[in-house]
Structures are given as C-alpha cells and as structure tokens.
Amino acid sequence: MAKGHRSQIKRERNAVKDTRPSAKLSYARVSVQKACFVLDAIRGKDVKTALAILTYSPRYASEVTLKLLKSAIANAENNNGMDPDKLYIQECYANKGPTMKRIRPRAQGRAYRIEKKMSHITIVLNER
C-alpha cells in the first residue's frame, strides 16, 4: 500500500506527463473490432507509409483513422516542434465506447435489439 495522504499520492501520479504527441477521437461510430483491423495495419509504421495505407484502404474505419492521424501529425509539428518526416506510430488502439440500443420490429409483434457500437480511438506518435 502506498504511503502518504491520498491527495499527495494523486499529485505524484499526475506529475508525470506524457510528452509524446497524440490525438484521440471519442465516440467514433465504428466498433472496436472493425477499428482494430485498420489500426493493426498501421501500428509501428512511419507516418508516410501509414497515410498511404489509410488512403487506399476500403474500410470505413480507415477514413476516420486517416483524419485522426493527420491531427496527430499536426499536433506533433505545432505543439512539440517535431519533424513530420521522422515520425512513426508508436501506439494506436481502440477502446470500447458506449453502445446505442435500437429496436427493430419483427414478425408477430416481436422486437429484436440492434446494438450500434462506438469506440474511442487513440494514436500516439514518436520520433525516430
């Protein structure tokens, strides 16, 4: 168990900031499983290659991820002063978001539930 008062423990934990450039998209209307297909294709690649992969990928999640990657590159360039040519994707992941529940009428008065899933997609870049 940690020593010190609860506020002191929180202060120490929050003092360590992650300085890597990143971008996060919350409540993307794509399921985690479908987003992960696209994210697995670009993980660890340099930014130019990842942009090319996302541009020509036929999946819907690739459009969303492409816009997010461009945002992360702009963050790295403007906020951290990094060179866009040296950047690569260090981390990218999708976490489960809330699920919208909808009803679909079926035969004989029944109703089936449709679940429209959402995800939170994060991309973290770093310099080589």
Side-chain angles (χ1 to χ4, degrees):
M1 190 160 160
K3 294 181 180 177
H5 194 264
R6 186 179 328 136
S7 61
Q8 181 186 0
I9 295 167
K10 279 186 172 181
R11 209 174 304 118
E12 289 172 0
R13 184 177 61 220
N14 292 337
V16 181
K17 290 286 182 188
D18 191 10
T19 57
R20 299 176 299 178
S22 66
K24 181 174 182 178
L25 173 65
S26 297
Y27 307 105
R29 268 293 288 120
V30 62
S31 70
V32 175
Q33 189 175 11
K34 291 176 184 176
C36 280
F37 278 121
V38 175
L39 295 175
D40 289 342
I42 63 168
R43 187 176 291 116
K45 304 258 192 315
D46 62 296
V47 169
K48 284 185 179 178
T49 308
L51 286 171
I53 290 169
L54 293 175
T55 303
Y56 295 106
S57 175
R59 296 180 176 270
Y60 169 73
S62 65
E63 295 174 28
V64 176
T65 310
L66 178 65
K67 194 172 179 181
L68 187 65
L69 179 59
K70 287 179 180 177
S71 175
I73 294 166
N75 289 343
E77 197 172 355
N78 296 319
N79 300 345
N80 297 37
M82 294 179 165
D83 183 21
D85 297 328
K86 296 179 182 176
L87 292 173
Y88 76 101
I89 299 171
Q90 188 171 30
E91 290 179 34
C92 57
Y93 52 89
N95 293 328
K96 189 174 181 290
T99 303
M100 293 191 294
K101 293 167 179 77
R102 300 292 181 260
I103 299 299
R104 182 88 180 154
R106 302 299 292 180
Q108 299 179 1
R110 294 188 181 95
Y112 283 4
R113 176 175 276 178
I114 292 177
E115 294 184 343
K116 299 187 174 192
K117 299 181 176 174
M118 289 187 234
S119 58
H120 307 306
I121 304 171
T122 307
I123 294 179
V124 180
L125 304 177
N126 211 343
E127 249 182 348
R128 282 216 163 111

